[in-house]
Amino acid sequence: MEMLQLSVNNLMGSIPTSIFNISPLQIMSLVLNNLSGNLPSNIGLWLPNLYAILLGGNKLTGIIPESISNASQLINLGLGVNAFMGPIPKSLGNLQLLETLKLDENNLTSGLSSSSPELSFLTSLVNCRHLQRLHISLNPLDGILPTTIGNLTASLETIYVDYCGIRGNIPSEIGNLSNLAFLNLAQNGFIGFIPSTVKQLGKLQRLYLHNNKLQGSIPNDLLCHLRNLGDLRLNQNELSGLIPECLGNITSLRYIYLDSNKLTSITPISLWSLKDLLEINLSSNSLNGYLPPQFGSLKVATLIDFSMNQFTRKIPSTIIGLQNLVKLSLAHNKLQGPIPDSFGSMVSLEFLDLSYNNLSDVIPKSLETLSHLSYFNVSFNRLSGQIPNGGPFANFTIQSFMSNEALCGVPKFQVPTCHTSSLHHLTRRLTLALYICLSIAFIILATTFVLLFIKCQRGNKTPTNVDLLPTITPPRITYQ
C-alpha cells in the first residue's frame, strides 16, 4: 500500500502501530478525525518513503519525534491543530525536499537556550531550499525572530507566525524573501518600526502586522511599491503620522485596517478612488476633516468604520451610492446636520451606528424600509421629532435613542408621546393665518402703488400749466 486516505471521518483512539510498519507507504492522510495518542519515536525509520504525512485536526499529543527527519523524501508535513508539545525539532532542517510545514495550533515551544532568545529552529530551515509554506501560528514560542529568516529560500510564499508571543524587532532581512505573497506576524509583541525593506516584497498580497506594539509612521514608499497588495492590516499598534497618499494608487486593495493607532490629519483624497474596496476601518485614531462627496464612490464596500475620530460637517447625501454596505459606523465624531434620507435606499444595511455626534432634525422615516437592519444607534445627538415604529424599528429599544433633544414616539422608547393631531391642527391654523396676512399685505401694497401712481401723474401736469401761463395772459391796458 502506497496511500492511506481516511480523512474527515469520526475515527477515534490511537493510530494503530501496524500502520507505521507499511514501509512502502508514501501518503498518510488522517486529517480531521478524533485521533489521540503519540506518534512512534521511530516513525521516520519505519516509513522512509513518505512524502506526505497529514495528521492535522486531531487530538494527537506528545512530542514531534526527531526521527521524522529520516523520511528524507518528505515534501508535505502537516501536524497542525493538535496538542503536540515540546520543542520544534531542529532536525526538520534535514528535510531538504520539504515544501510545506504546518505546525500551527499546538503547544510547541522554540527550545530556547539560556544563551540566546532567538528561534533557532528557523535557522535550521535554511537548508530546506524548496520550502514554500511555513505555518507555525498559535504556538507559545516566546522568542525573537533571528536575522537568518532572511536566508530562507527565495521560493518561500507564505509565512504565518501569528499568536506566538514573539518579541523584539521585525528583522529588516525579511525583505530578502522576494517571492513572499502572505506575511502574517500579527498578535505578537513586536516593537520598533516597520522595516523599510518590506517594500522589496513586490509580490506581497497580504500584510498582517496588527496587534503588536509597532511605532513610528507608515512610510510612504513602503506601500507605494506593493502593487499587488490586496489586504493590509496594521491596526492596533502605536503608529502615528499621516495615512500615506499613495494608498489610493494600489488598485488591488480590498481590505484596509488601520484602526486603533495614533494617526492624524485628514484622509487622503486618493483613498476614495479605490473602487473595488470591500472593507475599510480607520476607527480609533485622531483623523479630522470631513467626509467628502466622493465618500459614496466606494460602491462595492460592505464595511466602513470611521468611528472614534474627529470628523466634522454633514454626512454627504452621496452616501446613497453605498448600495452594498452592510456595516457603517460613524459614532463618536463631530458630525452635524440631518441624517440623510438616502439611508433608506441602502437596502443591504444591517449595522448603523451614528451615536455621539451633533446630528439634528428628525430620524428619516425611510429607514423603515431597511428590512435587514438589526443594529441601530443614534444616541447622544440632538435629534427631534417622531421615532419611526415600522420595519426594523419594532425590534429596537431605548438604547438606540438615548439622550436626544426632543424625540417622541411609542412608550417602549421611554420618550413623550407624539401629539400628531394637535400638531396638524396647529399647522393648519398657522398656514391659514399666513395666507390671510399675505392677502392683506398684498391689498395694502397694491393700494399704495395705485395712489402713488395717481399722485405722480398729477405732479407731472403742474409744470406744463405754468409753462403756458405767459401765452394766455391778456395784454396790459393803460389807465386812460
Side-chain angles (χ1 to χ4, degrees):
M1 186 167 62
E2 295 179 350
M3 182 170 78
L4 176 63
Q5 165 65 279
L6 296 173
S7 298
V8 198
N9 282 285
N10 194 29
L11 299 174
M12 295 179 288
S14 300
I15 302 173
T17 306
S18 56
I19 288 179
F20 298 102
N21 289 328
I22 308 174
S23 59
L25 198 62
Q26 297 177 12
I27 300 176
M28 179 191 293
S29 181
L30 304 175
V31 175
L32 293 173
N33 284 288
N34 287 307
L35 297 169
S36 56
N38 302 342
L39 294 180
S41 59
N42 292 324
I43 182 173
L45 298 173
W46 293 346
L47 299 174
N49 296 305
L50 272 179
Y51 67 78
I53 179 167
L54 308 174
L55 304 177
N58 283 286
K59 299 176 181 177
L60 299 171
T61 57
I63 63 170
I64 299 174
E66 291 275 354
S67 70
I68 204 164
S69 61
N70 290 103
S72 57
Q73 305 301 310
L74 206 58
I75 293 175
N76 192 339
L77 176 58
L79 303 179
V81 196
N82 278 287
F84 288 111
M85 60 186 68
I88 297 175
K90 296 179 183 178
S91 59
L92 293 178
N94 297 329
L95 300 172
Q96 297 186 16
L97 301 180
L98 195 64
E99 296 179 2
T100 300
L101 177 60
K102 293 187 176 181
L103 304 177
D104 47 304
E105 294 192 52
N106 281 285
N107 293 312
L108 298 169
T109 60
S110 57
L112 298 177
S113 65
S114 57
S115 59
S116 174
E118 292 187 346
L119 306 181
S120 55
F121 74 90
L122 286 175
T123 303
S124 69
L125 296 178
V126 169
N127 298 320
C128 304
R129 304 313 300 172
H130 302 280
L131 191 63
Q132 298 177 18
R133 290 166 288 276
L134 174 61
H135 296 192
I136 53 177
S137 303
L138 289 152
N139 282 291
L141 300 179
D142 190 29
I144 295 175
L145 285 184
T147 57
T148 52
I149 194 171
N151 296 332
L152 293 175
T153 174
S155 61
L156 197 61
E157 296 176 357
T158 65
I159 294 180
Y160 281 80
V161 194
D162 51 311
Y163 291 91
C164 289
I166 298 177
R167 56 190 189 276
N169 296 316
I170 300 174
S172 60
E173 288 79 5
I174 206 162
N176 297 339
L177 306 176
S178 55
N179 279 304
L180 210 57
F182 301 164
L183 176 58
N184 187 349
L185 302 178
Q187 293 282 354
N188 283 292
F190 287 111
I191 59 174
F193 305 129
I194 301 173
S196 59
T197 53
V198 170
K199 67 183 179 183
Q200 299 169 200
L201 306 177
K203 296 183 179 180
L204 202 62
Q205 297 174 30
R206 298 179 187 173
L207 178 59
Y208 294 170
L209 301 179
H210 54 280
N211 290 81
N212 281 288
K213 299 177 182 178
L214 298 171
Q215 299 175 334
S217 61
I218 304 172
N220 200 55
D221 61 344
L222 168 67
L223 298 178
C224 294
H225 292 80
L226 304 180
R227 294 296 184 178
N228 295 297
L229 196 63
D231 196 344
L232 175 65
R233 303 185 187 234
L234 304 178
N235 49 301
Q236 298 191 29
N237 279 287
E238 298 174 10
L239 299 171
S240 56
L242 310 181
I243 297 175
E245 180 71 31
C246 67
L247 199 64
N249 299 331
I250 308 175
T251 56
S252 56
L253 274 171
R254 300 294 181 270
Y255 303 91
I256 299 176
Y257 281 79
L258 302 177
D259 55 284
S260 303
N261 279 289
K262 300 176 181 179
L263 300 173
T264 56
S265 190
I266 61 175
T267 54
I269 198 68
S270 63
L271 198 65
W272 313 111
S273 64
L274 297 175
K275 306 297 184 184
D276 297 319
L277 198 63
L278 294 174
E279 297 180 8
I280 178 169
N281 191 336
L282 305 179
S283 64
S284 300
N285 281 288
S286 297
L287 301 172
N288 51 48
Y290 62 95
L291 303 177
Q294 295 90 334
F295 185 69
S297 65
L298 305 178
K299 296 186 182 300
V300 299
T302 58
L303 181 150
I304 296 178
D305 191 345
F306 287 1
S307 61
M308 302 290 289
N309 280 289
Q310 300 178 34
F311 290 109
T312 58
R313 300 192 191 179
K314 295 181 179 181
I315 301 173
S317 59
T318 53
I319 201 168
I320 192 174
L322 306 176
Q323 291 295 304
N324 293 297
L325 202 60
V326 174
K327 179 177 179 178
L328 174 63
S329 180
L330 301 175
H332 291 270
N333 279 287
K334 299 177 181 179
L335 298 170
Q336 303 169 346
I339 299 174
D341 192 65
S342 51
F343 269 117
S345 301
M346 298 164 65
V347 294
S348 300
L349 209 56
E350 297 178 8
F351 182 104
L352 178 58
D353 194 346
L354 304 175
S355 59
Y356 291 91
N357 280 287
N358 293 314
L359 299 173
S360 56
D361 213 333
V362 299
I363 300 173
K365 194 171 178 60
S366 62
L367 297 179
E368 291 182 337
T369 62
L370 302 178
S371 57
H372 299 292
L373 192 63
S374 58
Y375 181 90
F376 179 72
N377 195 347
V378 290
S379 297
F380 297 92
N381 279 286
R382 297 187 293 111
L383 299 169
S384 58
Q386 184 174 9
I387 298 175
N389 52 25
F393 285 84
N395 301 319
F396 299 147
T397 66
I398 180 58
Q399 303 300 321
S400 297
F401 310 102
M402 295 188 303
S403 295
N404 280 281
E405 278 187 353
L407 288 176
C408 62
V410 295
K412 75 168 186 175
F413 294 136
Q414 300 179 27
V415 293
T417 303
C418 298
H419 300 289
T420 53
S421 58
S422 300
L423 182 62
H424 181 64
H425 181 64
L426 178 61
T427 303
R428 289 185 61 187
R429 291 180 63 185
L430 289 174
T431 303
L432 181 60
L434 181 62
Y435 280 137
I436 293 173
C437 290
L438 287 175
S439 299
I440 293 173
F442 178 79
I443 293 171
I444 293 172
L445 184 62
T447 304
T448 303
F449 179 80
V450 171
L451 291 174
L452 288 173
F453 179 79
I454 293 172
K455 185 176 180 181
C456 287
Q457 290 296 321
R458 288 177 178 176
N460 289 337
K461 290 178 181 179
T462 302
T464 305
N465 292 336
V466 172
D467 292 338
L468 293 175
L469 185 60
T471 62
I472 62 175
T473 302
R476 291 173 64 86
I477 302 173
T478 63
Y479 175 77
Q480 290 76 8

